[in-house]
Amino acid sequence: MVIDDSRAMRLILRRIVSGLNFEVVEAGNGREAMDRLAELEAVPELALIDWNMPEMNGLEFVTAVRADKKFRGMTLMMVTTESEHGQIVRALAAGAHEYVIKPFTPDAIVDKLVMLGLIPDGAHA
Amino acid sequence: MAPTGNDLQQIAEQVWVSYLDTDGEKPLVPVPPDKLSKEVVAAVAVSGAWHGLVLIACSRPASREAAAALLGMGADEVTEGDIDDALGELANVIGGNVKSLLPEPCVLGLPDVRSDVEGDPWLNGDEICRFEATWMGEPMEVSVLEKPADHGEEPA
């Protein structure tokens, strides 16, 4: 699942993860993502989450997902411009597994996914 | 602690390499253009311990090319909505990185994209740094504008 209020950023992230054989669902903010989660039959394996979004921001989304046991198997990765140490700590404390700071290269996302064990090393040429 | 023109250059170049010039064929050239343009301006407000705007300003052709590059489409297919989305995200990414150079704590607002802003009070404030460049032969400018605290959240 790719959650970002920017269509351009959703497209960039979609290209990266669909190239790794993930099926991608998009949402424009945390609220929309919660609605999509309620509709989906299977819990997504991974969510890439922007921080600054209207209606429900990324940190609120992480907190909401972590409060629901149904989503415990979901890996949450913040992909955001928020680069201060305090913000990273807040996101990880709320339940995010990983943190990528924009701007990023595709390799930065791939490396994190390898580290999280979601794809094998060398999956992305 | 305040960002400088060199900081803006580093941030902008990183953004270009990551999103707009991924194959190295459309580099952001750090040469000031003959004439700057504010035909399209995207900004994010920063508020908190510091108040102001982080802006990216460019010509309309440059904004179309940026949207086309980010959205993976031809420049002739780009709509106004595409330009708003793409320029807004560029301002967001640049603004987030500039925020890390400003006094803490600060909060980043959502992007605001405007056209033909000549004389718009939105752009009133003290410019504290600027980076001027040329991209695909078009003017491109990144700047940081400090505002009084009561005006800092205007565009959010």
Side-chain angles (χ1 to χ4, degrees), chain A residues 13-106:
Chain A
L13 289 168
R14 170 186 277 275
R15 280 195 203 120
I16 296 170
V17 291
S18 60
L20 299 165
N21 294 323
F22 284 92
E23 195 179 317
V24 181
V25 175
E26 295 183 15
N29 60 60
R31 173 61 50 213
E32 209 179 295
M34 292 304 291
D35 292 344
R36 297 304 307 270
L37 284 177
E39 294 163 5
L40 291 171
E41 282 178 19
V43 174
E45 199 177 354
L46 167 71
L48 304 176
I49 312 152
D50 184 24
W51 188 307
N52 295 307
M53 296 181 287
E55 293 193 51
M56 180 190 263
N57 69 33
L59 187 65
E60 291 165 342
F61 173 80
V62 168
T63 305
V65 163
R66 279 291 158 260
D68 191 332
K69 286 180 184 166
K70 196 168 44 177
F71 303 124
R72 73 170 60 149
M74 199 167 156
T75 299
L76 306 179
M77 187 190 294
M78 299 297 291
V79 183
T80 171
T81 61
E82 295 288 344
S83 57
E84 291 92 336
H85 179 71
Q87 300 291 71
I88 297 172
V89 169
R90 278 179 76 195
L92 297 178
H97 296 86
E98 261 302 345
Y99 203 99
V100 175
I101 296 167
K102 296 175 185 174
F104 55 81
T105 59

Side-chain angles (χ1 to χ4, degrees), chain B residues 91-117:
Chain B
N92 177 49
V93 176
I94 292 171
N97 283 267
V98 169
K99 181 167 81 77
S100 69
L101 303 172
L102 294 167
E104 291 186 51
C106 279
V107 175
L108 205 63
L110 295 173
D112 186 3
V113 184
R114 302 187 188 186
S115 297
D116 302 317
V117 293

Side-chain angles (χ1 to χ4, degrees), chain A residues 9 12 15-16 101-108, chain B residues 8-30 56 66 69-70 90 93-94 131 134-135 140:
Chain A
M9 192 51 63
I12 289 168
R15 280 195 203 120
I16 296 170
I101 296 167
K102 296 175 185 174
F104 55 81
T105 59
D107 285 347
Chain B
L8 296 185
Q9 178 174 350
Q10 278 183 24
I11 293 167
E13 286 177 346
Q14 213 174 351
V15 168
W16 250 253
V17 167
S18 299
Y19 302 137
L20 297 175
D21 181 34
T22 52
D23 49 13
E25 289 178 2
K26 296 174 181 173
L28 183 66
V29 182
I56 178 166
L70 267 176
L90 291 178
V93 176
I94 292 171
F131 167 57
T134 304
W135 185 55
M140 189 64 72

Side-chain angles (χ1 to χ4, degrees), chain B residues 2-100:
Chain B
T4 65
N6 283 339
D7 293 325
L8 296 185
Q9 178 174 350
Q10 278 183 24
I11 293 167
E13 286 177 346
Q14 213 174 351
V15 168
W16 250 253
V17 167
S18 299
Y19 302 137
L20 297 175
D21 181 34
T22 52
D23 49 13
E25 289 178 2
K26 296 174 181 173
L28 183 66
V29 182
V31 173
D34 293 338
K35 191 170 180 241
L36 289 169
S37 171
K38 283 190 167 48
E39 283 180 333
V40 182
V41 178
V44 287
V46 180
S47 56
W50 186 91
H51 287 261
L53 296 177
V54 179
L55 304 119
I56 178 166
C58 62
S59 65
R60 186 150 293 278
S63 73
R64 298 189 81 83
E65 291 291 348
L70 267 176
L71 291 162
M73 55 172 65
D76 54 346
E77 299 171 280
V78 167
T79 65
E80 287 301 310
D82 295 333
I83 289 173
D84 285 359
D85 184 85
L87 266 287
E89 183 59 12
L90 291 178
N92 177 49
V93 176
I94 292 171
N97 283 267
V98 169
K99 181 167 81 77
S100 69

